[in-house]
Amino acid sequence: MKQSISYIFLFISILCNSQALELKDKNLVRYYELINEAENKIVNNELLKANSLYKEAFREFKYPHAKDLHNSMRAALKTNDLEAAYAHYQTLKCLGKKFDDDFLINNFKNIENYKTILCQDKIDLNYKKSLDSLVNIDQHYRKLSRGNYQAYKDDLTKIDSIASVNLLKLIRKKGFPNEYNIGLEMKSWVYFHDFYLIIWHQLASNLYSPQRVNFSDEIMKALNKGKIRPDIAGFLLDLNNNTKNYSYFKISQFVANDGKIDCCYVSKDFLPENRTEVSLKKIREVNEKRKQIGLSSTEDEVRKSIFYLNNKDYVFSNNVIEGWNFNNSNDIEVFKKNLIKLDDTTH
């Protein structure tokens, strides 16, 4: 009887956890629906419609993500909606984005015609400094190892424990950080914060440093407050829980021993006619989970990534290309058997 009760409690626990991984804020749900639709319009070169959808989305959510401000600014510039473009430019500047010296003069000829927006959100420099310190700890032995993590296994275990435990304490004390309280990372072209690396390294399948902290609860709280993008949340949730709930189609590139890069490939069942019952079931499951956290379908995501390969003006996802390294070229060819090259694909 005790064993049966244990199974019941285990089932309830699993059910509660699965139900918790869901975006529940109605305004944010609508915001991401509009953002996903706007991004699809960009891919289809319907920029006037994309510009309109971004305006509607920003009425739903007061603190749009930098990625969305960036894409909206680009769409507005290309449709000559300079007033909207200048407003988004100013917001990104307030968040710390660095633009080329000639960006302003090349895009806004008569600045005096546009409304000046004062920076409203104060960057917490002390919080940023604390996070940067933890990132330095996280990266120290990884840089020393030059990829040979096994040689630094004990050191990595120690520093990952320190970094992750202290990051969790900081988040619980000061709230989940994003660009509105710590600013933007200067070197990240996809608006990926450095402290995400600490969460990344708490992946459940880590061979070198056992998971000390599972950040899933904090990620979901942040998602429901609009403090983390759904694509990054899904990426980190999968790592922390050793799941593949939020991604199916990915673009792959291969690096041979001689350094030559062969890009870009995608799974054969990206084409609907190649899908089996098994792959159809998996794609439906992934898309349902993606929808629950505000993401577009996995098919739409890879279409955006394909578009991005030749259109660097926009940013859609942090996970554009998955790189593979093989010692033997024959192993690459075996791996490619289930892939199709994008140059040969109608996409």
Side-chain angles (χ1 to χ4, degrees), residues 133-221:
S133 177
L134 293 179
V135 171
N136 289 336
I137 291 171
D138 171 89
Q139 290 294 300
H140 180 71
Y141 285 106
R142 287 181 169 84
K143 290 178 180 178
L144 282 179
S145 73
R146 297 186 178 182
N148 184 14
Y149 293 157
Q150 184 62 42
Y152 288 83
K153 185 175 181 180
D154 291 342
D155 297 308
L156 288 172
T157 297
K158 181 179 178 181
I159 65 168
D160 283 359
S161 176
I162 293 170
S164 60
V165 169
N166 281 284
L167 175 60
L168 183 62
K169 288 178 181 177
L170 272 174
I171 289 173
R172 288 178 173 172
K173 179 182 178 182
K174 299 181 73 75
F176 200 93
N178 73 351
E179 51 263 36
Y180 287 93
N181 59 357
I182 63 167
L184 292 167
E185 305 293 348
M186 295 302 98
K187 59 185 177 293
S188 176
W189 52 271
V190 293
Y191 303 108
F192 189 92
H193 291 287
D194 285 348
F195 78 89
Y196 290 150
L197 294 172
I198 298 171
I199 302 175
W200 183 339
H201 296 147
Q202 289 300 298
L203 71 167
S205 60
N206 198 329
L207 299 175
Y208 308 103
S209 174
Q211 186 182 74
R212 178 71 187 274
V213 177
N214 187 313
F215 283 91
S216 295
D217 286 347
E218 300 304 326
I219 292 169
M220 288 310 301
K221 289 175 189 174

Side-chain angles (χ1 to χ4, degrees), residues 238 244-250 282 286 290 298 301 319:
D238 272 345
K244 295 182 179 179
N245 289 338
Y246 302 106
S247 183
Y248 187 87
F249 293 113
K250 292 185 178 181
K282 181 60 179 174
V286 167
R290 286 174 64 86
T298 185
E301 181 183 48
N319 191 21

Side-chain angles (χ1 to χ4, degrees), residues 82-346:
L82 297 183
E83 186 175 351
Y86 190 65
H88 302 325
Y89 161 80
Q90 290 181 92
T91 303
L92 286 168
K93 283 276 288 183
C94 286
L95 298 177
K97 180 174 174 60
K98 300 294 185 184
F99 290 89
D100 293 339
D101 293 339
D102 58 354
F103 181 86
L104 197 61
I105 193 169
N106 286 343
N107 290 284
F108 305 102
K109 304 299 183 186
N110 300 302
I111 297 177
E112 64 276 4
N113 293 339
Y114 313 117
K115 182 180 178 181
T116 299
I117 299 173
L118 298 177
C119 297
Q120 297 179 349
D121 298 286
K122 187 175 180 180
I123 303 302
D124 188 338
L125 296 177
N126 287 330
Y127 195 5
K128 171 66 174 166
K129 185 177 179 180
S130 297
L131 290 168
D132 287 344
S133 177
L134 293 179
V135 171
N136 289 336
I137 291 171
D138 171 89
Q139 290 294 300
H140 180 71
Y141 285 106
R142 287 181 169 84
K143 290 178 180 178
L144 282 179
S145 73
R146 297 186 178 182
N148 184 14
Y149 293 157
Q150 184 62 42
Y152 288 83
K153 185 175 181 180
D154 291 342
D155 297 308
L156 288 172
T157 297
K158 181 179 178 181
I159 65 168
D160 283 359
S161 176
I162 293 170
S164 60
V165 169
N166 281 284
L167 175 60
L168 183 62
K169 288 178 181 177
L170 272 174
I171 289 173
R172 288 178 173 172
K173 179 182 178 182
K174 299 181 73 75
F176 200 93
N178 73 351
E179 51 263 36
Y180 287 93
N181 59 357
I182 63 167
L184 292 167
E185 305 293 348
M186 295 302 98
K187 59 185 177 293
S188 176
W189 52 271
V190 293
Y191 303 108
F192 189 92
H193 291 287
D194 285 348
F195 78 89
Y196 290 150
L197 294 172
I198 298 171
I199 302 175
W200 183 339
H201 296 147
Q202 289 300 298
L203 71 167
S205 60
N206 198 329
L207 299 175
Y208 308 103
S209 174
Q211 186 182 74
R212 178 71 187 274
V213 177
N214 187 313
F215 283 91
S216 295
D217 286 347
E218 300 304 326
I219 292 169
M220 288 310 301
K221 289 175 189 174
L223 183 68
N224 272 286
K225 291 180 179 179
K227 291 194 170 185
I228 187 171
R229 287 174 9 210
D231 61 305
I232 294 174
F235 171 71
L236 295 175
L237 286 168
D238 272 345
L239 288 174
N240 269 221
N241 298 295
N242 195 24
T243 56
K244 295 182 179 179
N245 289 338
Y246 302 106
S247 183
Y248 187 87
F249 293 113
K250 292 185 178 181
I251 295 176
S252 296
Q253 75 172 17
F254 301 91
V255 182
N257 273 343
D258 58 5
K260 289 183 179 179
I261 296 175
D262 185 13
C263 191
C264 297
Y265 295 82
V266 70
S267 173
K268 281 184 177 179
D269 49 8
F270 176 55
L271 300 178
E273 62 267 27
N274 291 338
R275 296 176 188 177
T276 65
E277 285 300 318
V278 173
S279 62
L280 275 171
K281 182 174 182 290
K282 181 60 179 174
I283 292 166
R284 282 195 294 266
E285 289 173 352
V286 167
N287 281 338
E288 181 57 34
K289 288 184 171 67
R290 286 174 64 86
K291 185 178 180 180
Q292 288 176 344
I293 65 168
L295 287 169
S296 62
S297 70
T298 185
E299 294 99 331
D300 279 351
E301 181 183 48
V302 81
R303 287 189 192 101
K304 293 171 193 174
S305 294
I306 292 168
F307 175 84
Y308 170 79
L309 294 175
N310 295 308
N311 297 273
K312 297 298 193 296
D313 279 351
Y314 302 98
V315 175
F316 298 116
S317 170
N318 76 297
N319 191 21
V320 179
I321 295 178
E322 187 174 54
W324 295 91
N325 240 321
F326 288 91
N327 293 325
N328 191 321
S329 59
N330 291 331
D331 293 337
I332 296 178
E333 296 308 314
V334 171
F335 195 89
K336 285 181 186 176
K337 285 184 177 180
N338 293 316
L339 305 175
I340 47 178
K341 190 152 187 173
L342 290 174
D343 291 348
D344 304 325
T345 308
T346 302

